[in-house]
Amino acid sequence: MKASLISRKLVKAVIAIIIMAYFMIRTTSPKIIFAPFLFCAFASVGKNLGLLFNKNSLALLFDRAFKIVFFLSWFGFLAVVCYVTIKDGNYGKLLFTVPFWLGGIFFVVRKFKGKKDSKE
């Protein structure tokens, strides 16, 4: 990948961290809301720094950390929504989450298993 493209991605990730940190400090909302976004932004910075300095193992480590945090927050949010809808007895809203569960499972299989199959 070109160094200019990596640099642009790095700058975007740093700007995202600054914006999220600003809103995290200034908001009265629970701070935990911003945690997955901050972790993913930091992982993106680490990945791009690894690519910029040709440290592929470091870039791969941060890429996997990004994917793990993203999918944990994706399925964690879905689990909370399902819990609340079951608790309230609103099963129509529970059916609304099914495509998001299927989409998440599809992306997990594609991101973690699909690349191993394509190398063989």
Side-chain angles (χ1 to χ4, degrees):
M1 203 181 303
K2 291 184 179 179
S4 62
L5 179 62
I6 295 170
S7 299
R8 279 186 267 158
K9 287 183 178 185
L10 183 63
V11 168
K12 288 178 188 178
V14 170
I15 290 171
I17 289 172
I18 292 169
I19 291 171
M20 284 184 282
Y22 172 78
F23 284 114
M24 189 174 181
I25 292 168
R26 302 280 301 180
T27 188
T28 58
S29 299
K31 309 300 186 209
I32 192 77
I33 294 169
F34 296 99
F37 300 105
L38 278 172
F39 287 139
C40 285
F42 277 116
S44 182
V45 167
K47 175 185 173 186
N48 288 313
L49 284 173
L51 289 173
L52 193 62
F53 294 117
N54 292 324
K55 303 290 184 185
N56 292 333
S57 61
L58 185 66
L60 182 63
L61 175 72
F62 278 109
D63 184 49
R64 289 214 173 134
F66 178 92
K67 290 175 187 175
I68 289 169
V69 169
F70 177 80
F71 287 122
L72 282 176
S73 58
W74 178 276
F75 289 117
F77 177 76
L78 282 174
V80 169
V81 168
C82 288
Y83 171 75
V84 170
T85 56
I86 290 171
K87 184 178 161 191
D88 293 341
N90 190 354
Y91 299 109
K93 190 185 285 185
L94 187 63
L95 288 174
F96 179 72
T97 64
V98 170
F100 296 99
W101 281 105
L102 294 175
I105 292 168
F106 170 75
F107 283 118
V108 165
V109 169
R110 189 171 137 221
K111 290 293 181 185
F112 288 107
K113 187 178 178 190
K115 290 190 177 188
K116 291 179 185 173
D117 292 339
S118 64
K119 288 181 181 178
E120 292 177 355

